[in-house]
Amino acid sequence: MQEINIANMKKRDASVALEAKPFKSNVKMVLSDGRDRQNIKILKQTMDLTEEALVDAYGDLVSVGNAIIESDPEVNLETVGRFLDKTRKLYMNQDNQVAYRVHLVQVVRNPDGTEKERRDYVKRPANISVELSPVQLSGKKFPKLAAIKKFVFTRKYQIRHVSGLTYDFLYEMAKELHESDSLMLVGSGAKGNEPLVITTGGESHRGFLEGRIDGDKYCLILHLTNMELRGLE
C-alpha cells in the first residue's frame, strides 16, 4: 500500500494510505462451450516477411504482387501463427536493427492531431511521499456536476487512515466535501500549485478530492485528470 503526505485547510499534515481500488465486473466472458477465455499472443510475421523486406527482395510492389500470386512468399507456414509466451520489448532503428541507445522524446500535439513541439522526455519523480512537502488542499471547489462536465478523470485512489488520529483527520475532510457536494482541487509542491506524480516516471495529473460520509463512516477519493474538456471555437 502506497503512502501519501496530505495537509488539510489548517495546514496540518499527516501520512496516510493511498490505495487503488480497481473495478471488478460481475459479468464474465466465456467461450461458447462455457470455458474461461484466455488471452494469447500469436506471431503475425517475422522481419524477413514485412513489406519493406519483400520489396528489397523483389525490386518493387508489382513484382511482390506477382510473387505472392505464384508462391506466397509473405507467409512462412512454419513460423506464422505460433503461440508466443515470454517476450521482450525492443526498439528498432530504420534498418530494422536493434537499437541499443535510444533517445526518448515527448511529442506534444495540437487538438487537431498535428505536431506542436518535441522535447526531451523527463522521467518525473513521484512527489506525494512523506519526505516531500505535503499535498495541499487549494480551497478551490468545483460542484460535482460541473467537474464531470469539465474534466476527464482517468484514475482514482482511495485515501485511508492508518490510525485513530488520522481517522479524525480524514473524516473532517470528507465531511466538509460531502456537505458542500463538491470536489476540491489539490496540488503538490511548497505552494500546493504543482501537478501530482503518483509514481516515479508516471504522468503528471491534476488532483481533485471527493468526500462521502455515512454516519461515522467516510470515503475520501482522489480523482486524477490530465485532460480538460473545452467547447469548440
Side-chain angles (χ1 to χ4, degrees), residues 1-213:
M1 187 179 297
Q2 196 171 359
E3 288 187 342
I4 180 173
N5 192 21
I6 188 169
N8 60 13
M9 293 300 297
K10 296 179 181 179
K11 305 301 180 183
R12 305 289 191 269
D13 63 278
S15 177
V16 292
L18 186 71
E19 183 178 15
K21 288 286 188 181
F23 172 76
K24 293 184 179 179
S25 174
N26 294 326
V27 179
K28 184 175 71 171
M29 301 182 67
V30 296
L31 303 179
S32 57
D33 58 0
R35 291 181 299 158
D36 289 338
R37 67 185 180 94
Q38 182 181 3
N39 293 327
I40 58 175
K41 293 182 179 180
I42 297 178
L43 179 64
K44 182 178 180 181
Q45 64 179 181
T46 53
M47 296 299 299
D48 59 326
L49 300 181
T50 62
E51 179 181 328
E52 294 80 4
L54 293 175
V55 170
D56 290 341
Y58 291 92
D60 54 46
L61 286 174
V62 175
S63 300
V64 171
N66 293 330
I68 290 175
I69 294 173
E70 295 175 0
S71 58
D72 296 325
E74 83 285 7
V75 178
N76 185 337
L77 296 179
E78 294 185 0
T79 58
V80 173
R82 282 189 174 184
F83 294 115
L84 300 177
D85 184 12
K86 296 180 180 180
T87 60
R88 287 192 302 172
K89 183 177 180 179
L90 298 175
Y91 290 98
M92 312 295 290
N93 59 23
Q94 295 178 344
D95 299 323
N96 286 330
Q97 301 296 321
V98 178
Y100 294 97
R101 294 183 179 180
V102 179
H103 178 67
L104 298 178
V105 296
Q106 183 179 9
V107 180
V108 181
R109 299 188 180 277
N110 295 309
D112 60 358
T114 56
E115 184 176 321
K116 181 179 180 180
E117 65 171 316
R118 293 193 173 205
R119 54 194 181 206
D120 291 341
Y121 174 75
V122 179
K123 192 173 183 180
R124 302 179 182 89
N127 59 9
I128 63 168
S129 63
V130 239
E131 294 82 9
L132 303 174
S133 300
V135 173
Q136 300 182 41
L137 279 62
S138 67
K140 187 176 182 180
K141 295 180 180 178
F142 292 80
K144 289 183 180 180
L145 187 59
I148 62 176
K149 292 181 178 180
K150 187 175 179 63
F151 303 101
V152 179
F153 296 107
T154 57
R155 197 170 301 173
K156 58 186 175 182
Y157 293 86
Q158 182 176 356
I159 299 179
R160 302 178 58 182
H161 61 277
V162 293
S163 65
L165 290 176
T166 52
Y167 163 81
D168 294 333
F169 178 77
L170 297 181
Y171 182 88
E172 289 303 318
M173 282 190 198
K175 182 180 178 182
E176 179 184 350
L177 295 172
H178 177 87
E179 292 175 347
S180 63
D181 194 30
S182 61
L183 306 181
M184 183 176 291
L185 180 66
V186 299
S188 62
K191 297 182 179 180
N193 58 355
E194 298 178 12
L196 305 180
V197 181
I198 304 299
T199 56
T200 298
E203 296 183 1
S204 59
H205 294 83
R206 278 187 285 182
F208 289 84
L209 207 58
E210 177 190 3
R212 306 175 191 174
I213 61 170

